[in-house]
Amino acid sequence: MLTNVVDWISENWHISPTVQWKLFLSISVIIALALIRHLAFKIAFNKIQDLKERYLWKNAIKNTHYVLLIIIISAIWVDKMGSLATFFGLLSAGLAIALQDPIVNLAGWLFILIRKPFEVGDRIEVGGISGDVIDVRFFQFTLNEIHNWVDADQSTGRIVHIPNGKVFKEPQANYTQGFSHIWNEIGVMVTFESDWKKAKKILERTVSDHVEQLSKSAARKLIEASKKFMIFYTSLTPIVYTSVKDSGVMLTIRYLVDPRKRRTTEHDIWEEVLSEFAKNDDIDFAYPTQRIYYNLQEGKLGTAKAPNYSDSGKKN
């Protein structure tokens, strides 16, 4: 019966028995590997609850499936090892010319897997685009975009696909790898007439209340990161710096924060600062304004002197 089917196909479709056998094996391999892949996915999803670990297993199974499929199908259709080497040599030469960008992207994928400049879940910036890495594939990685028209470090809702080859051409900034916290600064400007020392104490107390635990957590992360990177800070505690600007006294809060909590923490700090400053009549915010300054009335006693005019009416 089988022989009759083979002969009929050979006579009517002009497909030799050898090619028919190879087609049968190829289809069988495709179906078998698809079933194995489906079974592996099912086992991984049932056994693994962690979303990130589940994603990594899913990618590993998928990549293994494709590699095995290419190797087995190639072995079926190429009879001898010498022919196989010649085939892959010619294929590589052709691909190198015709598919230069995809090959670079594939090399970028291998670089990402081996060197690990970032992983799924990291917050990074590449070529001016910032976001959380949510997928890494053969030819591109995907970011859940932040910044752009949205203030602070919150998501825009857009998904951005970036070719893997960008890792060879663009610098990559990783917010979370190694040292998991970033430094954030909030500038609070008060008028020269305000009690800036009291304002500074309010800011120091406020920032300590909101980020003290983050600094302790950052210290533990820094010890771990120092084993891999040359990272060293003399102090991780929040601090308020004092400087003078054109419009008043600038008090700059500097503190460590989780990149994903920067806007929330800044929101909490600002609300408390606004509430505390409203309770003090001797503290006022400064902003660009115009005023007339009378040195004789407002200046210090040592500088409040009337101009000295001679008899000719000219100022000496």
Side-chain angles (χ1 to χ4, degrees):
M1 181 66 180
L2 182 60
T3 304
N4 294 333
V5 172
V6 172
D7 292 340
W8 184 86
I9 293 175
S10 299
E11 292 176 3
N12 292 275
W13 292 358
H14 304 290
I15 300 175
S16 67
T18 303
V19 174
Q20 292 182 47
W21 175 244
K22 290 182 178 182
L23 285 172
F24 173 75
L25 289 179
S26 299
I27 295 172
S28 300
V29 168
I30 293 172
I31 295 174
L33 288 179
L35 292 174
I36 294 172
R37 173 183 174 179
H38 176 74
L39 181 62
F41 278 157
K42 191 173 182 179
I43 294 173
F45 288 171
N46 289 337
K47 297 292 184 181
I48 301 171
Q49 301 301 323
D50 182 73
L51 293 179
K52 183 176 180 180
E53 189 176 353
R54 181 185 292 180
Y55 168 83
L56 294 175
W57 272 100
K58 177 184 175 183
N59 262 14
I61 293 170
K62 182 173 61 177
N63 295 339
T64 303
H65 167 262
Y66 289 135
V67 171
L68 289 176
L69 186 62
I70 292 172
I71 292 175
I72 296 174
I73 295 297
S74 299
I76 292 173
W77 287 91
V78 181
D79 297 326
K80 299 180 180 179
M81 292 303 294
S83 300
L84 185 63
T86 303
F87 169 76
F88 278 117
L90 294 173
L91 180 63
S92 300
L95 290 176
I97 297 173
L99 303 174
Q100 183 177 359
D101 288 340
I103 291 174
V104 171
N105 291 332
L106 188 61
W109 173 73
L110 292 173
F111 176 80
I112 294 171
L113 290 184
I114 297 171
R115 183 62 182 85
K116 296 186 183 300
F118 53 81
E119 298 178 290
V120 173
D122 287 355
R123 175 160 290 187
I124 67 172
E125 179 179 345
V126 180
I129 301 174
S130 302
D132 297 319
V133 182
I134 59 176
D135 193 19
V136 179
R137 300 194 177 187
F138 286 125
F139 300 106
Q140 64 185 19
F141 59 93
T142 306
L143 302 182
N144 182 14
E145 186 189 38
I146 62 172
H147 290 316
N148 209 311
W149 66 86
V150 177
D151 290 335
D153 295 330
Q154 291 193 310
S155 172
T156 63
R158 297 196 307 183
I159 301 299
V160 182
H161 303 286
I162 301 176
N164 291 335
K166 286 289 186 180
V167 298
F168 299 128
K169 302 176 182 179
E170 301 283 352
Q172 304 108 50
N174 196 315
Y175 289 63
T176 51
Q177 190 178 82
F179 192 41
S180 60
H181 289 65
I182 61 172
W183 289 101
N184 189 42
E185 293 189 354
I186 301 175
V188 180
M189 187 180 293
V190 298
T191 61
F192 290 112
E193 295 77 18
S194 297
D195 188 343
W196 64 268
K197 291 184 178 180
K198 181 192 289 187
K200 185 172 182 177
K201 289 181 180 179
I202 293 174
L203 297 181
E204 290 173 340
R205 183 175 65 252
T206 301
V207 71
S208 295
D209 291 343
H210 286 282
V211 302
E212 184 177 4
Q213 295 301 320
L214 288 177
S215 294
K216 291 179 181 179
S217 172
R220 292 193 299 269
K221 296 287 186 180
L222 182 58
I223 294 174
E224 297 175 5
S226 63
K227 299 175 183 177
K228 185 177 181 181
F229 302 102
M230 192 63 181
I231 300 177
F232 179 76
Y233 293 114
T234 57
S235 176
L236 299 176
T237 56
I239 190 172
V240 179
Y241 290 104
T242 306
S243 60
V244 175
K245 302 294 182 180
D246 292 340
S247 301
V249 179
M250 174 64 76
L251 303 173
T252 304
I253 306 171
R254 179 176 170 85
Y255 62 96
L256 283 167
V257 64
D258 185 310
R260 293 175 177 81
K261 298 179 180 179
R262 188 170 74 91
R263 190 172 199 180
T264 302
T265 306
E266 192 168 323
H267 162 81
D268 294 337
I269 290 174
W270 265 118
E271 284 203 342
E272 186 166 339
V273 168
L274 291 170
S275 298
E276 290 297 319
F277 278 16
K279 299 175 184 177
N280 294 271
D281 294 334
D282 53 352
I283 300 176
D284 200 4
F285 289 104
Y287 46 87
T289 56
Q290 289 184 344
R291 58 170 292 188
I292 299 175
Y293 175 77
Y294 293 98
N295 187 51
L296 292 176
Q297 299 177 8
E298 302 179 58
K300 295 182 179 179
L301 295 177
T303 63
K305 296 181 179 179
N308 183 18
Y309 293 94
S310 64
D311 295 338
S312 60
K314 294 182 179 180
K315 181 179 178 181
N316 295 328

